[in-house]
Each structure stands twice: as C-alpha cells, then as structure tokens.
Amino acid sequence: MTELVATTPGLYPLPDDAKVELSDLKGHQKSDLVSGDETGELADAYDRVRAELVETQVEAGLDLITEGQGRWDDMLAHPLAVHEGVETRGIVRYYDNNNFYREPVVTEDLTPSGDVAAELAAASELTDSLQAVLPGPYTLADLATDEHYGDDLLEAVGEFLAGEVAEFPDHETLFLLEPSLVENAPDDGTDERASEALDAVAAATDAEVVVHPFYGALEEKTYAHLMDADVDAIGFDLVSDHEQNVYNVQEYGTKGSVALGVVDGQNTLVEEPATVRERFDWFTEQVPAQSFERAYLTSNTELFYLPVNKAEAKAETLATAADLEEVEA
C-alpha cells in the first residue's frame, strides 16, 4: 500500500484583511527590510497572518502544515531578499506570469541568517506536523544576480541554504521548490552541480526531503542527474505536463517516495477529490514497476496565485482525496 499524504508547497495568498493592514504598516517602515527588522505592530501582524494560515491548513485537514510564508513578498527569492549581504534593486518578472519580485544582488558572503528558522519556530508552536519550505539552491541562484561569488554562486547558495536548515526546529519534511530546473534548465555540468547543491541542503536535516520542480517537466538529462541527488522524493507536475513526467519515471525510475502535483495552483477551478485520486491512479498505472512507499498529494505550484477562498478549497480537496479508500500501488 502507498501512504498518501496531503500537503502543499506553501506560499499561501495573504488573507484579504491582512493585505490592507500590512500595506499600511510597511508604509511606516523602510521598504527594503532585512532579516529581523520587522518590529512592533508589523511583527505582530505577521504573527497573526502565520496563525491564520496555519489554522486554514489544519481546518482543511492537511497532513503536513507549512508556515504559510506570509512574509515572502519576493516569493522564492525571499531568503536572499531579506539577507544583509544582498542588495535588492529593480523589479523583475517572476517566471512567465504577472508576479514580480525585487532583484536580489549578492554583494557579500551568504552567512546563515536564521530568518526562515525563526518563522518555523513560531509555526512549530501551532502544529505538530510541520513541513519546512525553501527554494531549492538552483532556483534561488537562478533568481539572483551575483556580484561576489563568480562561478561559485550555486555552491555558495547551497551552503547558505544548508546553514539555514541546520537552524530549523524539528520538522517532518522539507520541500525544496525547484521551478527553475524546468524554466531555465541547467546546461551540461551545471545539472550535476545542481544535484550536488541539493545534497548539501538535504544533508543538513534528518527530515524527508522532497525536491519539487514545476511549471512543466524536467529535461531527461536534468532528471537523470536529479535521480543521483541524495533526496527522498521527487515532485512531478501532473497538471502542466503529465506525459513527459511519466516518461521520465518510466525511463529513469524515481525515488521511494513521490510528490504529485495533482491540483492546479494557478487556476481558480477547484478540482473534485475524485478527480485528484484519478490523477494519482493514472500515474501509478503508467509506472507499474514502481513501488512507492509514500505519495505526497499537492498542488503543482505555490498557492499565492489564487484568491484566498480558492486556495482554501484546493487544500480541502487534497485532504479529502488522500482520505478516500485505500489504493494499491
């Protein structure tokens, strides 16, 4: 039997009332906040957002609960955008959509900041089923501009993220989000370095590590190198490109656990739980030789693209789908 685990990649949309409150409060503090600069009313507001996002996931019935990443205005660039060794400059398009982030320019050594660890420590007071979320090293390096490390930026980012993870409180899983592996596939040599950077991050935790690419499927060579990484599960975006993702598994195998993007994180249409289970069943039927000990049922992308009520509904769909009658793998 395959254990089905309902979760999400985090980065939830801000509650509507919080958007107004945070916008007003930020107007009274400097706009380019670095780690630890949120104080007073602003810090209290983020605490309330975190509590609401955690409560939303618990009420939806998810098995693993993320911190929600309400502070991550720069999406996956956040860990760099708030670092004191990084300058934030112009506004850059976030992949091929209408979201934007501040360009993080690395100008000094990337020493561990404890920023995400502090968020998770606060979230750990609200749930016993904590899932940590970070950008993967290749994606974070891809979103950055370097004026310090030269050809060693990818390795430096991997070491930086490993240092961040080493400060995390106890967590069940670590989702490393790697859309850039799809959107800006690494060239020869860099794909191997990307896998080695993932190894460095994974080695910093005892939790199960899930690498979750999305916005499509990995190129074959990239996937083959990812299979060499010392991680526990690889994610597959079954919404954007189910055929190529299945082909990769058929050709190169996969890990003992998988993460399946079975609801659309960018479309407001809310899937039925039965539809989600059909997508899981279809995947297992295409790869009958595989025996998965665990399958994470998740959205294919982060959820911040969605209205609040749609993100909540999709979380409930995932939880309900995972609780339907058991399925043979």
XYZ file of all heavy atoms in Angstrom, residues 69-141:
563
model
N 4.338 31.190 4.732
C 5.205 32.149 4.045
C 4.521 33.486 3.753
O 4.670 34.057 2.675
C 5.780 31.540 2.757
C 6.747 30.398 2.969
C 6.078 29.112 3.394
O 5.076 28.701 2.819
N 6.614 28.457 4.424
N 3.770 33.981 4.711
C 3.086 35.260 4.533
C 4.026 36.441 4.375
O 3.626 37.473 3.825
N 5.273 36.315 4.858
C 6.246 37.410 4.743
C 6.969 37.408 3.399
O 7.718 38.337 3.107
C 7.297 37.295 5.854
C 6.818 37.602 7.254
C 7.914 37.355 8.288
N 9.109 38.138 8.040
C 10.322 37.604 7.825
N 10.493 36.295 7.805
N 11.372 38.383 7.626
N 6.769 36.359 2.601
C 7.598 36.191 1.414
C 7.077 37.020 0.236
O 6.620 36.504 -0.770
C 7.674 34.711 1.047
C 8.447 33.874 2.030
C 8.617 34.113 3.358
C 9.151 32.656 1.739
N 9.379 33.117 3.925
C 9.718 32.210 2.966
C 9.335 31.893 0.598
C 10.462 31.035 3.050
C 10.082 30.735 0.681
C 10.652 30.316 1.896
N 7.176 38.332 0.358
C 6.723 39.222 -0.717
C 7.460 38.957 -2.020
O 6.918 39.207 -3.106
C 6.939 40.683 -0.317
C 6.078 41.107 0.856
O 5.076 40.421 1.144
O 6.413 42.120 1.504
N 8.703 38.478 -1.928
C 9.515 38.213 -3.114
C 9.461 36.753 -3.536
O 10.338 36.265 -4.252
C 10.963 38.637 -2.847
C 11.059 40.117 -2.527
O 10.878 40.938 -3.437
O 11.297 40.446 -1.342
N 8.429 36.052 -3.070
C 8.225 34.637 -3.387
C 9.503 33.842 -3.085
O 10.092 34.006 -2.036
C 7.771 34.459 -4.837
C 6.336 34.940 -5.093
S 6.169 36.726 -5.242
C 6.719 36.960 -6.922
N 9.939 33.009 -4.000
C 11.069 32.126 -3.709
C 12.395 32.864 -3.581
O 13.376 32.290 -3.101
C 11.170 31.029 -4.772
C 10.021 30.024 -4.784
C 10.257 28.957 -5.848
C 9.839 29.369 -3.416
N 12.456 34.113 -3.966
C 13.673 34.897 -3.775
C 13.819 35.398 -2.337
O 14.855 35.950 -1.980
C 13.693 36.084 -4.736
N 12.817 35.172 -1.500
C 12.773 35.745 -0.156
C 14.034 35.520 0.681
O 14.556 36.479 1.282
C 11.550 35.208 0.603
C 11.550 35.563 2.058
N 11.077 36.772 2.525
C 11.998 34.875 3.149
C 11.224 36.810 3.845
N 11.783 35.671 4.249
N 14.565 34.290 0.781
C 15.723 34.105 1.669
C 16.914 34.993 1.323
O 17.701 35.339 2.216
C 16.068 32.615 1.493
C 14.766 31.982 1.119
C 14.111 32.996 0.221
N 17.049 35.368 0.065
C 18.110 36.304 -0.315
C 17.657 37.754 -0.155
O 18.438 38.612 0.274
C 18.552 36.062 -1.753
C 19.336 34.784 -2.036
C 19.789 34.765 -3.497
C 20.541 34.637 -1.115
N 16.413 38.028 -0.488
C 15.929 39.413 -0.482
C 15.980 40.036 0.911
O 16.045 41.261 1.040
C 14.505 39.478 -1.036
N 15.949 39.198 1.963
C 15.987 39.744 3.317
C 17.366 39.596 3.959
O 17.540 39.880 5.139
C 14.932 39.064 4.216
C 13.537 39.338 3.701
C 15.185 37.557 4.348
N 18.366 39.172 3.187
C 19.700 38.927 3.733
C 20.523 40.208 3.727
O 20.491 40.974 2.758
C 20.406 37.840 2.919
C 21.608 37.272 3.578
N 22.828 37.926 3.603
C 21.798 36.110 4.254
C 23.708 37.183 4.263
N 23.107 36.073 4.665
N 21.274 40.426 4.801
C 22.041 41.668 4.903
C 23.196 41.733 3.919
O 23.719 42.819 3.647
C 22.554 41.840 6.323
C 23.482 40.749 6.799
C 23.866 40.904 8.256
O 23.289 41.760 8.938
O 24.765 40.161 8.692
N 23.608 40.603 3.341
C 24.670 40.600 2.346
C 24.158 40.709 0.922
O 24.914 40.495 -0.029
N 22.874 41.062 0.782
C 22.229 41.128 -0.532
C 21.550 42.480 -0.694
O 20.866 42.958 0.224
C 21.191 39.995 -0.686
C 20.415 40.134 -1.993
C 21.876 38.635 -0.592
N 21.735 43.103 -1.836
C 21.031 44.344 -2.154
C 19.827 44.028 -3.026
O 19.940 43.254 -3.981
C 21.955 45.312 -2.896
C 23.140 45.802 -2.086
C 24.026 46.746 -2.888
O 23.608 47.144 -4.009
O 25.122 47.073 -2.410
N 18.678 44.614 -2.705
C 17.510 44.461 -3.578
C 17.405 45.699 -4.450
O 17.424 46.825 -3.968
C 16.230 44.276 -2.750
O 16.123 45.310 -1.767
C 16.219 42.921 -2.060
N 17.292 45.450 -5.756
C 17.299 46.560 -6.714
C 15.985 46.613 -7.487
O 14.920 46.711 -6.888
C 18.515 46.431 -7.630
C 19.839 46.562 -6.841
C 21.065 46.447 -7.702
N 22.283 46.437 -6.872
C 23.488 46.162 -7.317
N 23.693 45.899 -8.609
N 24.525 46.161 -6.499
N 16.030 46.514 -8.796
C 14.823 46.706 -9.588
C 13.824 45.571 -9.458
O 14.076 44.537 -8.844
N 12.667 45.771 -10.053
C 11.588 44.785 -10.039
C 11.761 43.854 -11.234
O 11.962 44.302 -12.369
C 10.214 45.476 -10.100
C 10.057 46.429 -8.909
C 9.106 44.446 -10.104
C 10.148 45.759 -7.557
N 11.682 42.549 -10.985
C 11.908 41.523 -12.006
C 10.674 40.626 -12.110
O 10.053 40.303 -11.101
C 13.147 40.668 -11.653
C 13.461 39.680 -12.770
C 14.364 41.553 -11.370
N 10.343 40.232 -13.336
C 9.204 39.332 -13.519
C 9.496 37.966 -12.915
O 10.583 37.413 -13.089
C 8.870 39.182 -15.002
C 7.599 38.353 -15.264
C 7.307 38.287 -16.763
N 7.006 39.590 -17.313
C 5.802 40.152 -17.279
N 4.783 39.517 -16.717
N 5.611 41.337 -17.807
N 8.534 37.427 -12.202
C 8.662 36.116 -11.575
C 8.205 35.052 -12.559
O 7.016 34.819 -12.741
C 7.814 36.080 -10.300
C 7.934 34.809 -9.480
C 9.072 34.540 -8.734
C 6.892 33.896 -9.438
C 9.176 33.401 -7.970
C 6.981 32.744 -8.669
C 8.120 32.505 -7.935
O 8.213 31.354 -7.172
N 9.163 34.448 -13.239
C 8.874 33.482 -14.290
C 7.935 34.120 -15.330
O 7.952 35.324 -15.520
C 8.344 32.174 -13.699
C 9.360 31.529 -12.794
C 9.225 31.572 -11.401
C 10.507 30.921 -13.302
C 10.192 31.018 -10.565
C 11.468 30.357 -12.474
C 11.305 30.422 -11.107
O 12.269 29.878 -10.293
N 7.139 33.332 -15.993
C 6.344 33.858 -17.110
C 4.921 34.160 -16.655
O 3.950 33.562 -17.124
C 6.332 32.843 -18.263
C 5.679 33.408 -19.513
O 5.615 34.650 -19.636
O 5.232 32.612 -20.358
N 4.798 35.072 -15.702
C 3.460 35.437 -15.236
C 3.469 36.885 -14.783
O 4.457 37.601 -14.967
C 3.006 34.493 -14.105
C 3.973 34.467 -12.943
O 4.258 35.500 -12.348
N 4.497 33.276 -12.625
N 2.394 37.339 -14.194
C 2.254 38.748 -13.839
C 2.650 39.046 -12.402
O 2.198 40.039 -11.825
C 0.814 39.203 -14.090
C 0.483 39.245 -15.570
O 1.338 39.600 -16.387
N -0.732 38.875 -15.923
N 3.475 38.197 -11.810
C 4.012 38.464 -10.483
C 5.449 38.959 -10.608
O 6.161 38.604 -11.541
C 3.980 37.202 -9.621
C 2.568 36.743 -9.357
O 2.010 35.932 -10.093
N 1.961 37.275 -8.313
N 5.857 39.775 -9.648
C 7.177 40.397 -9.704
C 7.855 40.317 -8.341
O 7.196 40.238 -7.305
C 7.061 41.864 -10.135
C 6.456 42.031 -11.505
C 5.080 42.084 -11.669
C 7.271 42.117 -12.622
C 4.519 42.221 -12.932
C 6.715 42.253 -13.888
C 5.340 42.308 -14.041
N 9.181 40.342 -8.355
C 9.949 40.336 -7.115
C 11.106 41.307 -7.241
O 11.479 41.718 -8.340
C 10.460 38.918 -6.798
C 11.504 38.376 -7.750
C 12.855 38.388 -7.420
C 11.146 37.855 -8.996
C 13.824 37.888 -8.288
C 12.105 37.358 -9.879
C 13.440 37.385 -9.513
O 14.386 36.902 -10.381
N 11.651 41.690 -6.104
C 12.809 42.582 -6.099
C 14.061 41.782 -6.444
O 14.308 40.730 -5.869
C 12.970 43.231 -4.718
C 11.825 44.128 -4.305
C 11.991 44.587 -2.857
N 11.997 43.446 -1.940
C 12.367 43.519 -0.656
N 12.781 44.660 -0.149
N 12.330 42.440 0.110
N 14.860 42.288 -7.372
C 16.069 41.577 -7.788
C 17.065 41.512 -6.634
O 17.554 42.540 -6.157
C 16.716 42.286 -8.970
C 18.009 41.620 -9.428
C 18.736 42.448 -10.457
O 18.436 43.654 -10.591
O 19.629 41.897 -11.128
N 17.418 40.286 -6.170
C 18.413 40.176 -5.111
C 19.822 40.099 -5.710
O 20.125 39.196 -6.483
C 18.029 38.871 -4.405
C 17.351 38.051 -5.461
C 16.805 38.999 -6.505
N 20.652 41.043 -5.367
C 22.016 41.102 -5.892
C 22.980 40.741 -4.756
O 23.077 41.458 -3.762
C 22.341 42.500 -6.448
C 23.745 42.517 -7.030
C 21.310 42.903 -7.504
N 23.663 39.622 -4.914
C 24.561 39.131 -3.874
C 25.859 39.934 -3.932
O 26.577 39.911 -4.934
C 24.862 37.631 -4.058
C 25.827 37.144 -2.972
C 23.572 36.830 -4.025
N 26.147 40.651 -2.835
C 27.330 41.518 -2.794
C 28.321 41.117 -1.703
O 29.452 41.595 -1.697
C 26.916 42.981 -2.565
O 26.174 43.071 -1.336
C 26.048 43.485 -3.720
N 27.913 40.251 -0.766
C 28.778 39.814 0.319
C 28.548 38.329 0.585
O 27.671 37.701 -0.021
C 28.499 40.626 1.597
C 28.718 42.123 1.455
C 28.335 42.859 2.730
O 28.307 42.223 3.809
O 28.036 44.061 2.636
N 29.317 37.765 1.523
C 29.162 36.353 1.856
C 27.750 36.056 2.354
O 27.166 36.844 3.125
C 30.154 35.954 2.954
C 31.580 35.868 2.437
O 31.779 35.948 1.203
O 32.491 35.720 3.273
N 27.238 34.905 1.942
C 25.901 34.470 2.354
C 26.008 33.615 3.613
O 25.981 32.390 3.571
C 25.232 33.688 1.226
C 24.914 34.478 -0.038
C 24.375 33.549 -1.121
C 23.908 35.596 0.266
N 26.145 34.268 4.744
C 26.182 33.559 6.019
C 24.749 33.253 6.462
O 23.809 33.972 6.099
C 26.867 34.412 7.085
O 26.212 35.687 7.140
C 28.326 34.617 6.741
N 24.531 32.188 7.240
C 23.173 31.858 7.698
C 22.550 33.027 8.455
O 23.211 33.677 9.274
C 23.394 30.647 8.613
C 24.656 30.025 8.117
C 25.518 31.167 7.674
N 21.281 33.292 8.170
C 20.606 34.444 8.763
C 19.627 34.065 9.868
O 19.292 34.899 10.715
C 19.839 35.210 7.672
O 18.730 34.438 7.224
N 19.122 32.823 9.848
C 18.121 32.424 10.831
C 16.734 32.943 10.550
O 15.805 32.731 11.344
N 16.543 33.604 9.408
C 15.245 34.222 9.107
C 14.131 33.180 8.996
O 13.108 33.282 9.667
C 15.362 35.026 7.810
C 14.046 35.695 7.427
O 13.771 36.777 7.981
O 13.305 35.131 6.605
N 14.321 32.189 8.138
C 13.281 31.179 7.956
C 13.157 30.309 9.200
O 12.056 29.884 9.573
C 13.562 30.316 6.707
C 12.506 29.234 6.546
C 13.606 31.196 5.454
N 14.260 30.056 9.877
C 14.212 29.271 11.109
C 13.323 29.935 12.151
O 12.576 29.250 12.868
C 15.626 29.080 11.661
N 13.381 31.258 12.245
C 12.535 31.978 13.203
C 11.057 31.823 12.841
O 10.204 31.652 13.724
C 12.931 33.451 13.243
N 10.754 31.894 11.548
C 9.373 31.671 11.114
C 8.893 30.285 11.518
O 7.781 30.107 12.029
C 9.265 31.813 9.597
C 9.511 33.198 9.055
C 9.421 33.228 7.536
O 9.629 32.184 6.890
O 9.135 34.311 6.999
N 9.730 29.287 11.253
C 9.345 27.905 11.541
C 9.238 27.647 13.038
O 8.394 26.863 13.481
C 10.338 26.940 10.902
C 10.314 26.896 9.372
C 11.464 26.049 8.850
C 8.984 26.357 8.865
N 10.088 28.286 13.817
C 9.992 28.134 15.263
C 8.639 28.642 15.759
O 8.009 28.013 16.628
C 11.137 28.882 15.956
N 8.195 29.755 15.207
C 6.877 30.275 15.581
C 5.769 29.338 15.121
O 4.806 29.083 15.851
C 6.689 31.675 14.989
N 5.896 28.795 13.915
C 4.884 27.886 13.392
C 4.851 26.581 14.177
O 3.779 25.956 14.314
C 5.140 27.608 11.914
N 5.999 26.148 14.688
C 6.055 24.881 15.426
C 5.251 24.939 16.712
O 4.907 23.896 17.286
C 7.505 24.503 15.720
O 8.087 25.389 16.674
N 4.953 26.144 17.190
C 4.100 26.297 18.368
C 2.630 26.080 18.028
O 1.790 25.947 18.923
C 4.276 27.700 18.957
C 5.691 28.023 19.400
C 6.140 27.163 20.570
O 5.302 26.892 21.454
O 7.318 26.755 20.575
N 2.325 26.028 16.732
C 0.937 25.954 16.282
C 0.569 24.601 15.683
O -0.600 24.324 15.441
C 0.675 27.049 15.239
C 1.026 28.485 15.661
C 0.920 29.431 14.472
C 0.122 28.945 16.794
N 1.571 23.750 15.403
C 1.311 22.446 14.788
C 2.397 21.457 15.158
O 3.545 21.851 15.378
C 1.226 22.557 13.253
O 1.012 21.255 12.695
C 2.491 23.143 12.666
N 2.014 20.194 15.225
C 2.983 19.117 15.451
C 3.357 18.420 14.146
O 4.085 17.423 14.169
C 2.408 18.082 16.419
C 2.205 18.649 17.815
O 3.015 19.490 18.233
O 1.220 18.256 18.477
N 2.857 18.916 13.016
C 3.088 18.284 11.710
C 3.711 19.288 10.750
O 3.180 19.564 9.672
C 1.766 17.743 11.141
O 1.168 16.834 12.030
N 4.845 19.826 11.149
C 5.432 20.948 10.420
C 6.182 20.492 9.172
O 6.994 19.571 9.216
C 6.393 21.703 11.336
C 7.033 22.975 10.770
C 5.973 24.031 10.484
C 8.068 23.519 11.756
N 5.898 21.167 8.075
C 6.644 20.976 6.830
C 7.406 22.262 6.511
O 6.799 23.325 6.361
C 5.715 20.640 5.680
C 6.419 20.576 4.328
C 5.504 20.076 3.246
O 5.114 18.920 3.245
N 5.134 20.951 2.325
N 8.714 22.171 6.427
C 9.523 23.330 6.052
C 9.519 23.486 4.538
O 9.446 22.504 3.798
C 10.946 23.152 6.563
N 9.595 24.727 4.075
C 9.614 25.050 2.647
C 10.757 26.016 2.376
O 10.940 26.991 3.096
C 8.278 25.675 2.199
C 8.377 26.177 0.753
C 7.125 24.687 2.348
N 11.516 25.709 1.342
C 12.586 26.596 0.885
C 12.664 26.537 -0.637
O 12.268 25.534 -1.233
C 13.942 26.147 1.437
C 14.340 26.523 2.858
C 15.667 25.863 3.206
C 14.447 28.042 3.027
N 13.212 27.575 -1.271
C 13.606 27.417 -2.663
C 14.769 26.442 -2.736
O 15.617 26.412 -1.835
C 14.027 28.826 -3.075
C 14.460 29.468 -1.784
C 13.569 28.902 -0.729
N 14.817 25.639 -3.775
C 15.996 24.812 -3.987
C 17.177 25.685 -4.366
O 17.016 26.826 -4.823
N 18.402 25.185 -4.204
C 19.585 26.013 -4.467
C 19.703 26.474 -5.918
O 20.132 27.607 -6.177
C 20.747 25.112 -4.060
C 20.195 23.718 -4.052
C 18.753 23.855 -3.678
N 19.335 25.621 -6.876
C 19.447 26.038 -8.270
C 18.470 27.171 -8.561
O 18.820 28.164 -9.219
C 19.192 24.867 -9.220
C 19.297 25.261 -10.675
C 20.539 25.438 -11.276
C 18.160 25.486 -11.444
C 20.647 25.836 -12.598
C 18.258 25.883 -12.769
C 19.501 26.057 -13.348
O 19.597 26.458 -14.664
N 17.249 27.049 -8.058
C 16.239 28.086 -8.284
C 16.635 29.392 -7.617
O 16.529 30.472 -8.221
C 14.875 27.615 -7.755
O 14.370 26.598 -8.633
C 13.865 28.748 -7.690
N 17.114 29.319 -6.380
C 17.478 30.555 -5.688
C 18.650 31.239 -6.381
O 18.671 32.471 -6.528
C 17.813 30.260 -4.228
C 17.990 31.481 -3.323
C 16.755 32.370 -3.345
C 18.306 31.049 -1.896
N 19.615 30.461 -6.840
C 20.743 31.048 -7.573
C 20.271 31.641 -8.904
O 20.764 32.690 -9.343
C 21.823 30.001 -7.809
